[in-house]
Amino acid sequence: MSVLTAINLSQSFGAFDVFRRISVTIPPDGRIGLVGPNGVGKTTLLRILAGVELPQTGEVQLAKGRRIGYLRQEAAQAFAQQDHTVYEEMLTVFGDIREKEAQLRGWEVEMAERGDDEAFFERYSQAQEAFELAGGYRYEVDIKQILTGLGFDDESWQMPLAHLSGGQKTRALLGRLLLEKPDLLILDEPTNHLDVEAIEWLERTLMYWDGALLVVSHDRYFLDKVVNTIWEMSREQVESYRGNYTAYVEQREARWERRGQEFDEFKERMDKELDYIRKNMGRQRTQMAKGKLSRISRELYAYEMWGLAGLQMKSIDIGGVRAYSVDEAAERIGSLRRPKPSNPKIKLDLQADERSGHIVMRANDLEIGYPDAPLFKCDDIELTRQTCAALIGPNGSGKTTFLRTLRGKMPPLAGEIHLGASLDVGYFAQAHDTLNLENRVIDELQRHTAMYDSQARNYLAQYLFRGDDVYKLVKSLSGGERGRLALSILALSGANFLLLDEPTNHLDIPAQEMLQQVLEQFQGTILMVSHDRYLINRLANQIWTLEDGYLHVFEGSYQRYLEAREAAAAEAREAAAVERQEARVVEASTNGTSKRLSKNARRQLEAAIADIETKIGVIEEKMEQLSRELEIAAQEQDFSRIQDATEAYQLAEIELESLLEEWGELAHE
């Protein structure tokens, strides 16, 4: 049974239809990503499904006893008139458990006075078991894990909710929802206020989410990790695709190609039917011709109303619409147009006017920052032609400052930067700070290139500035519109070395896809600062990471970088485990414990420790194998195998934790 069903939802604001007649169903284990261009109504649909907003038409049915948790884009009102601290707010989720805990503590005080009251101790035992099953011994650990995972340090746990920034409130609301564990979790842009480390933590958490999930996100890499179904939304419908975001892109292209073929076949059949009708009207076969005209009238009406989907309907209610005349049918057939993808495309074309030298940039002994605030030092760097390097690191670590230094806007604190021969540098800033905010869109374009108004209008139309849009003031544009304008100017530069500072910020997914395709075909060199892991994964063959005041250069793709990072982390964990083991042995030796044991007892103890160590080795090998199986299953989009391997991995983790605890106790002895 579905956890939620929505039927014929429509929403309008005045005369403007946001969307019409949308029907969707969410199964109990559904993991759905909702995508579509900006302005199509994704957030409005989420608000209706979450019960926050009523639709103009249609209804939403939530299965009995099921709960919805909703993370809105801006959570400023979520904690209105609440004086809790962050940690106290998380505790509110566990009110019932904490009442049981208080009752148990009270009974424990009474125990000394109860003597051998068996009935009392039986009640206590049952209450304690119920408390444990409800998660009573884990809820504080869960709170700590979630707040830490979402980037709240220990000090911020005691901050009053009223003192949090908008982004912090959004993270706090997300934390509370994860602790509440609703049957359907609806998330609107959950990664907006998270750094990469917190996003990766959230991805791991949602991969194991026990319930239905519906998420809107512009983060394509995030969608690849956490969903197994994509809903593509337009104003007329929501179309469903199986698999994650990458699988959706492949299926979408195939679906639109198939629809084009179906349309061609439909149009060809309509032309043949009409030709038959014209030849046989007024002859012996007039009645048959009239029947055909009535049928193609219904089909044309169905296509005009519902597109190709209307032709598949078993019964079409044309609401009393009369059959068309031959001339009217001919006119309607002639006006049929091949269906186009619902998402408008930016026609971006980046061409380098001149080929650069082989060495694009060299840097030696470099230090970046300000005289009173140095930011980081660097590995020696060599960037060659047609390389794409991605510079990643925490906010405030100096990424944009590095780009400013490369552009000659500020000197390095130490070391040298040498740019290669025949370089023409193009720069795209996330703040779009090269735009004159007081200009109109068309004036701003013409400030960078000589174009007649008609040429400028045609050019801007490729970037979705149509009609009166070209006369808008730049300062009145949205972030996404400014991004499109900046890209249109960059495309005219003819640069062969692109410096891109968060190029996909504020772009919806269709615009991100188009930019990605163009950059993949670009014949020059790219250095990009970006949090867009999907773009980095597709483009970069060098990863420059900023960590702890140092820039490290990794030669290879983003996927290889992640694998190397995980291998290094595993090695560090193993080294730490060895260090802990050695420390325990030293402690035991210092305390003289081993000396007090008899030789026989010591041999038994050593044998027991060796046995546990063997078991630990077997479990660790099993977990490595399961980890590989998970990776293969994820690549093959086999969600049944993913679930099985995940459950097995979690059980192995529990067993390993128990063995390590037992080993620690024996080692201490």
Side-chain angles (χ1 to χ4, degrees):
M1 180 180 178
S2 301
V3 65
L4 181 143
T5 302
I7 304 168
N8 289 330
L9 299 182
S10 299
Q11 189 62 293
S12 303
F13 297 116
F16 175 68
D17 290 332
V18 181
F19 51 78
R20 295 178 298 165
R21 298 189 301 273
I22 283 180
S23 298
V24 292
T25 299
I26 302 177
D29 58 349
R31 310 175 64 80
I32 301 162
L34 177 62
V35 302
N38 287 342
V40 80
K42 299 188 294 295
T43 292
T44 301
L45 179 60
L46 292 192
R47 288 174 59 82
I48 291 173
L49 296 179
V52 176
E53 187 175 317
L54 292 175
Q56 196 87 18
T57 65
E59 62 176 334
V60 177
Q61 300 170 352
L62 180 66
K64 186 176 180 181
R66 300 302 180 100
R67 297 175 301 119
I68 294 177
Y70 171 49
L71 177 75
R72 63 194 75 190
Q73 280 195 45
E74 299 299 333
Q77 302 302 316
F79 305 116
Q81 299 178 344
Q82 292 191 22
D83 55 3
H84 290 153
T85 65
V86 172
Y87 190 79
E88 288 169 346
E89 181 63 26
M90 301 304 114
L91 286 175
T92 62
V93 175
F94 303 101
D96 291 345
I97 290 178
R98 297 183 73 210
E99 286 182 10
K100 290 183 174 69
E101 184 176 32
Q103 184 184 51
L104 286 174
R105 299 294 85 84
W107 284 358
E108 287 164 2
V109 172
E110 293 182 39
M111 282 183 176
E113 302 172 1
R114 289 284 185 164
D116 56 356
D117 186 342
E118 292 184 5
F120 170 79
F121 285 106
E122 178 64 24
R123 287 199 307 274
Y124 174 82
S125 177
Q126 292 174 354
Q128 186 182 43
E129 184 178 355
F131 177 71
E132 182 178 359
L133 289 173
Y137 295 114
R138 281 201 56 84
Y139 75 89
E140 290 182 295
V141 174
D142 291 342
I143 291 174
K144 183 180 295 186
Q145 288 177 342
I146 284 175
L147 288 180
T148 302
L150 291 174
F152 287 101
D153 56 31
D154 292 357
E155 293 181 3
S156 62
W157 294 6
Q158 303 308 321
M159 286 179 62
L161 294 170
H163 294 177
L164 300 182
S165 67
Q168 288 173 318
K169 286 180 179 177
T170 299
R171 286 190 283 133
L173 176 56
L174 176 56
R176 193 179 72 187
L177 290 173
L178 292 173
L179 291 167
E180 288 174 346
K181 299 180 180 178
D183 303 290
L184 170 59
L185 182 60
I186 299 178
L187 305 177
D188 196 353
E189 296 292 354
T191 65
N192 270 4
H193 300 285
L194 303 179
D195 60 20
V196 171
E197 186 177 355
I199 292 173
E200 290 177 347
W201 176 87
L202 181 60
E203 285 169 352
R204 292 191 296 270
T205 299
L206 293 180
M207 284 173 67
Y208 306 136
W209 182 255
D210 185 18
L213 174 68
L214 173 60
V215 56
V216 167
S217 179
H218 286 95
D219 188 333
R220 297 171 291 168
Y221 198 89
F222 178 78
L223 292 176
D224 256 2
K225 290 288 187 181
V226 303
V227 307
N228 58 23
T229 302
I230 294 289
W231 286 354
E232 183 187 66
M233 184 175 180
S234 66
R235 299 201 186 281
E236 291 77 31
Q237 61 184 338
V238 168
E239 294 193 86
S240 183
Y241 295 80
R242 291 186 61 187
N244 63 7
Y245 176 80
T246 298
Y248 147 72
V249 171
E250 296 171 357
Q251 294 174 57
R252 181 188 62 191
E253 300 307 314
R255 180 176 287 190
W256 279 105
E257 183 177 346
R258 185 170 64 252
R259 283 184 180 164
Q261 294 172 351
E262 290 173 357
F263 170 81
D264 292 341
E265 293 169 0
F266 171 64
K267 176 107 171 21
E268 182 180 356
R269 183 166 60 81
M270 290 295 100
D271 286 333
K272 287 182 178 179
E273 296 276 17
L274 186 63
D275 186 54
Y276 175 90
I277 292 166
R278 279 175 169 155
K279 289 179 179 178
N280 290 281
M281 275 295 192
R283 298 185 179 181
Q284 289 183 347
R285 298 181 179 176
T286 295
Q287 203 60 34
M288 187 177 295
K290 286 182 177 180
K292 282 183 177 290
L293 183 58
S294 178
R295 180 167 54 79
I296 70 169
S297 296
R298 290 196 301 272
E299 290 190 70
L300 286 169
Y301 177 81
Y303 181 84
E304 290 165 353
M305 289 295 295
W306 299 289
L308 288 166
L311 303 179
Q312 309 301 322
M313 297 179 182
K314 293 182 178 179
S315 62
I316 299 172
D317 179 9
I318 64 172
V321 174
R322 60 177 175 76
Y324 303 141
S325 67
V326 174
D327 290 342
E328 189 177 0
E331 182 181 349
R332 290 178 180 272
I333 293 171
S335 65
L336 293 174
R337 294 292 178 266
R338 213 168 193 262
K340 296 180 180 179
S342 55
N343 299 334
K345 296 287 187 181
I346 297 175
K347 298 178 181 178
L348 178 59
D349 185 21
L350 286 175
Q351 296 290 338
D353 288 344
E354 185 179 359
R355 177 172 167 161
S356 72
H358 178 67
I359 302 298
V360 174
M361 184 197 75
R362 273 200 180 105
N364 304 101
D365 302 320
L366 201 60
E367 185 172 7
I368 299 296
Y370 303 89
D372 57 343
L375 294 172
F376 62 87
K377 296 181 179 180
C378 302
D379 286 345
D380 286 346
I381 298 172
E382 182 175 278
L383 191 62
T384 57
R385 186 178 64 249
Q386 294 189 331
T387 296
C388 177
L391 176 58
I392 61 178
N395 292 338
S397 58
K399 301 186 295 295
T400 298
T401 304
F402 185 55
L403 295 188
R404 284 177 54 81
T405 305
L406 281 181
R407 295 169 58 219
K409 300 298 182 182
M410 58 185 292
L413 294 180
E416 296 179 328
I417 296 176
H418 301 284
L419 295 181
S422 304
L423 273 191
D424 187 354
V425 180
Y427 175 60
F428 179 93
Q430 62 172 320
H432 314 126
D433 50 17
T434 58
L435 299 178
N436 185 332
L437 300 182
E438 301 303 322
N439 275 345
R440 299 179 304 173
V441 170
I442 192 170
D443 298 330
E444 182 61 18
L445 176 71
Q446 290 171 327
R447 183 167 74 90
H448 292 83
T449 185
M451 280 188 184
Y452 293 114
D453 282 5
S454 58
Q455 292 174 306
R457 287 173 64 92
N458 289 335
Y459 180 76
L460 287 167
Q462 299 176 40
Y463 294 83
L464 310 184
F465 292 104
R466 299 186 176 118
D468 291 340
D469 290 345
V470 301
Y471 301 121
K472 289 181 178 179
L473 291 176
V474 174
K475 65 182 179 183
S476 71
L477 300 179
S478 68
E481 289 171 328
R482 290 188 193 183
R484 284 192 271 120
L485 177 57
L487 288 172
S488 74
I489 294 168
L490 178 65
L492 293 170
S493 69
N496 53 26
F497 181 27
L498 299 181
L499 300 178
L500 308 178
D501 191 356
E502 298 291 357
T504 57
N505 264 17
H506 308 295
L507 295 182
D508 59 16
I509 283 183
Q512 290 177 28
E513 289 178 350
M514 181 53 61
L515 177 62
Q516 172 194 311
Q517 291 169 13
V518 171
L519 293 177
E520 285 175 333
Q521 298 164 9
F522 181 62
Q523 295 301 303
T525 307
I526 300 172
L527 172 58
M528 63 176 175
V529 170
S530 181
H531 287 92
D532 187 339
R533 295 166 299 156
Y534 197 90
L535 186 71
I536 293 171
N537 196 42
R538 291 295 297 262
L539 296 180
N541 43 34
Q542 275 189 11
I543 307 297
W544 298 3
T545 59
L546 271 171
E547 296 176 359
D548 301 324
Y550 202 88
L551 188 151
H552 304 271
V553 174
F554 178 85
E555 294 282 351
S557 67
Y558 185 64
Q559 191 59 42
R560 282 186 55 202
Y561 160 73
L562 293 178
E563 291 167 359
R565 188 184 68 175
E566 179 55 35
E571 187 175 337
R573 288 194 297 269
E574 185 176 342
V578 170
E579 188 175 337
R580 287 195 301 271
Q581 178 181 350
E582 291 174 348
R584 286 171 180 146
V585 171
V586 170
E587 181 186 1
S589 177
T590 303
N591 293 338
T593 306
S594 60
K595 294 180 181 178
R596 290 194 298 271
L597 293 172
S598 67
K599 289 183 180 180
N600 185 48
R602 186 187 299 182
R603 281 197 297 271
Q604 291 178 349
L605 195 57
E606 288 172 350
I609 290 173
D611 181 57
I612 291 176
E613 287 174 346
T614 300
K615 291 178 180 178
I616 288 174
V618 171
I619 289 293
E620 287 177 338
E621 287 180 8
K622 180 180 179 182
M623 290 174 70
E624 287 181 11
Q625 176 63 31
L626 288 168
S627 180
R628 288 192 292 270
E629 288 181 14
L630 265 174
E631 184 177 346
I632 294 169
Q635 291 172 353
E636 296 177 355
Q637 295 298 302
D638 189 334
F639 297 103
S640 176
R641 282 174 59 198
I642 289 174
Q643 186 174 4
D644 291 344
T646 298
E647 290 176 356
Y649 191 92
Q650 290 173 326
L651 290 173
E653 272 189 321
I654 294 170
E655 187 175 354
L656 178 61
E657 185 177 344
S658 175
L659 286 170
L660 287 171
E661 185 177 347
E662 186 178 354
W663 179 91
E665 292 173 355
L666 292 176
H668 183 71
E669 290 180 24

